């Protein structure tokens, strides 16, 4: 059964190469935390109405007023590009336009660049980590030219990035962009990688088909410890500045404050907004939250 789960997950990660992309849309809410267990979500916006029957996924805030995400159609031959959406003007701009497919736009800790996973049109479905200037003054270049099979990533320091390496099983690695070294740390991880307020890495470790835990990796000692079990079978989470984790399952959102809570607590149900299958999330510095809903 475990080999079956690994194979299914591997196929899912590589579906962008050979299968139809899911119909996903992005919604925006203003989030206010009114107490340890009380959240208010207001001012809902449907951000991707211009591509409502297409693929809109992996949002990331470049600033409080600008969000990047991967956009394409749901056809098997879909081209995906990184798109910018100005939240004030609602102006949409293609940030990348090439024969390649781009996913997972992520701002670098240094604010003038962003990175993404590029599936290169080389006939081999090579996936490498690229970076680009935010002002679009160049066409970008690969950060780790020799490292392929990159699925997802998370910046921990200016020169240190955590990598989800697609394989059987999937692996967690840390890369140094100065000397281009890549060190594998563990395997059987989930796709979500998040930087904690203390600079450490939070990731999901899938020890069995049903036992998934969020762990903290100390980037100085390279030792990890368990934070909490995930919301059952949930894959994605975000971290608030006060060490509160948010995860979704179906239409519901749950929170867990590190060092405070003993279990996940439900804080919202978005079914009234017709969000029934929430997956990826992103948060801005001024309290906006973007939610991806899969049809």
């Amino acid at each position: 059964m475990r080999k079956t789960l690994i194979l299914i997950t591997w196929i899912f990660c590589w579906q962008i190469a050979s299968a139809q992309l899911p119909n996903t849309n992005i919604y925006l809410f203003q989030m206010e935390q009114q107490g340890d267990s009380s959240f208010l979500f207001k001012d809902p916006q449907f951000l991707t109405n211009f591509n409502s029957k297409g693929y809109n996924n992996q949002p990331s805030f470049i600033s409080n007023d600008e969000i990047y995400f991967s956009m394409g159609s749901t056809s098997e031959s879909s081209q995906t590009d990184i798109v910018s959406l100005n939240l004030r003007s609602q102006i949409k701009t293609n940030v990348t336009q090439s024969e390649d497919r781009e996913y997972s736009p992520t701002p670098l800790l240094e604010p003038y660049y962003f990175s993404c996973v590029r599936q290169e049109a080389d006939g081999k479905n090579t996936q490498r980590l690229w970076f680009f200037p935010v002002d679009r003054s160049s066409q970008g270049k690969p950060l780790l030219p020799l490292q392929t099979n990159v699925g997802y990533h998370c910046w921990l320091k200016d020169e240190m990035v955590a990598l989800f390496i697609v394989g059987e099983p999937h692996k967690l690695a840390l890369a140094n962009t100065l000397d281009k070294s890549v060190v594998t740390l563990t395997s059987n991880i989930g796709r979500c990688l998040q930087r904690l307020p203390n600079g450490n890495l939070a990731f999901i470790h899938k020890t069995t088909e049903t036992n998934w835990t969020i762990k903290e990796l100390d980037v100085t000692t390279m030792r990890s410890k368990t934070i909490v079990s995930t919301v059952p079978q949930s894959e994605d989470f975000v971290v608030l500045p006060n060490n509160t984790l948010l995860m979704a399952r179906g239409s519901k959102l749950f929170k867990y404050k590190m060092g405070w809570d003993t279990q996940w607590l439900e804080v919202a149900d978005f079914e009234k907004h017709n969000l029934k299958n929430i997956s990826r999330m992103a948060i801005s510095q001024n309290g906006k939250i973007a939610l991806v809903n899969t049809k």
Side-chain angles (χ1 to χ4, degrees):
M1 289 293 289
R2 177 158 185 82
K3 289 184 178 180
T4 301
L5 177 65
I6 292 171
L7 179 60
I8 291 172
T9 308
W10 189 89
I11 292 172
F12 174 79
C13 288
W14 283 94
Q15 69 174 340
I16 55 179
S18 58
Q20 182 173 314
L21 293 170
N23 179 200
T24 49
N25 279 290
I26 303 173
Y27 297 78
L28 184 73
F29 294 84
Q30 185 65 43
M31 178 178 62
E32 294 181 3
Q33 187 168 359
Q34 301 175 314
D36 283 329
S37 301
S38 178
F39 287 73
L40 178 65
F41 298 88
K42 60 182 184 179
D43 303 329
Q45 296 182 53
F46 181 22
L47 294 186
T48 51
N49 188 49
F50 48 80
N51 189 42
S52 62
K53 297 186 183 301
Y55 176 80
N56 312 277
N57 214 331
Q58 300 161 343
S60 182
F61 285 93
I62 296 299
S63 71
N64 287 329
D65 296 317
E66 187 177 18
I67 194 168
Y68 280 17
F69 59 97
S70 180
M71 188 184 82
S73 74
T74 57
S75 68
E76 292 188 7
S77 59
S78 172
Q79 174 68 34
T80 58
D81 296 302
I82 303 303
V83 170
S84 163
L85 181 65
N86 185 297
L87 299 177
R88 289 184 179 270
S89 66
Q90 298 299 303
I91 293 176
K92 176 177 67 69
T93 306
N94 272 65
V95 179
T96 62
Q97 282 184 300
S98 69
E99 295 181 354
D100 301 318
R101 299 175 178 180
E102 289 89 20
Y103 300 89
S104 301
T106 305
L108 273 67
L109 300 184
E110 189 279 322
Y112 302 106
Y113 295 88
F114 78 96
S115 54
C116 71
V117 173
R118 170 171 273 188
Q119 187 184 70
E120 300 168 17
D122 59 356
K124 302 177 183 178
N125 296 320
T126 298
Q127 290 189 190
R128 291 192 292 177
L129 184 65
W130 282 61
F131 86 118
F132 304 82
V134 171
D135 65 7
R136 299 159 209 161
S137 57
S138 78
Q139 298 300 310
K141 64 180 182 180
L143 273 168
L144 302 165
L146 300 181
Q147 180 62 58
T148 59
N149 288 17
V150 178
Y152 308 97
H153 68 291
C154 173
W155 288 97
L156 301 172
K157 299 180 181 180
D158 287 341
E159 73 287 349
M160 180 187 291
V161 60
L163 304 175
F164 173 106
I165 304 299
V166 179
E168 191 178 343
H170 308 310
K171 296 177 181 179
L172 172 65
L174 288 186
N176 185 305
T177 58
L178 296 180
D179 62 19
K180 310 303 180 184
S181 62
V182 179
V183 178
T184 299
L185 299 179
T186 190
S187 59
N188 299 316
I189 69 164
R191 69 188 178 201
C192 190
L193 305 172
Q194 294 287 331
R195 186 178 188 267
L196 293 170
N198 63 7
N200 288 338
L201 174 70
F203 68 98
I204 292 178
H205 191 201
K206 299 181 178 181
T207 53
T208 69
E209 290 184 31
T210 57
N211 184 17
W212 296 2
T213 57
I214 299 177
K215 290 188 174 181
E216 176 180 354
L217 174 71
D218 187 315
V219 297
T220 301
T221 65
M222 296 301 161
R223 295 181 178 179
S224 63
K225 64 180 180 181
T226 298
I227 298 174
V228 64
S229 295
T230 66
V231 174
Q233 300 301 297
S234 289
E235 183 85 29
D236 302 288
F237 64 95
V238 291
V239 185
L240 304 183
N242 66 352
N243 283 316
T244 295
L245 310 179
L246 298 178
M247 293 196 86
R249 185 181 186 187
S251 64
K252 296 181 178 181
L253 191 66
F254 300 84
K255 76 98 180 181
Y256 177 88
K257 186 173 182 180
M258 296 170 57
W260 181 265
D261 291 324
T262 59
Q263 61 184 358
W264 290 96
L265 300 175
E266 181 183 331
V267 294
D269 190 337
F270 294 93
E271 187 171 9
K272 64 181 179 181
H273 298 288
N274 203 32
L275 277 66
K276 300 179 180 180
N277 189 16
I278 301 170
S279 56
R280 290 178 175 87
M281 299 173 283
I283 54 174
S284 69
Q285 292 183 354
N286 66 348
K288 296 183 180 73
I289 184 168
L291 304 175
V292 175
N293 185 62
T294 304
K295 290 292 183 69

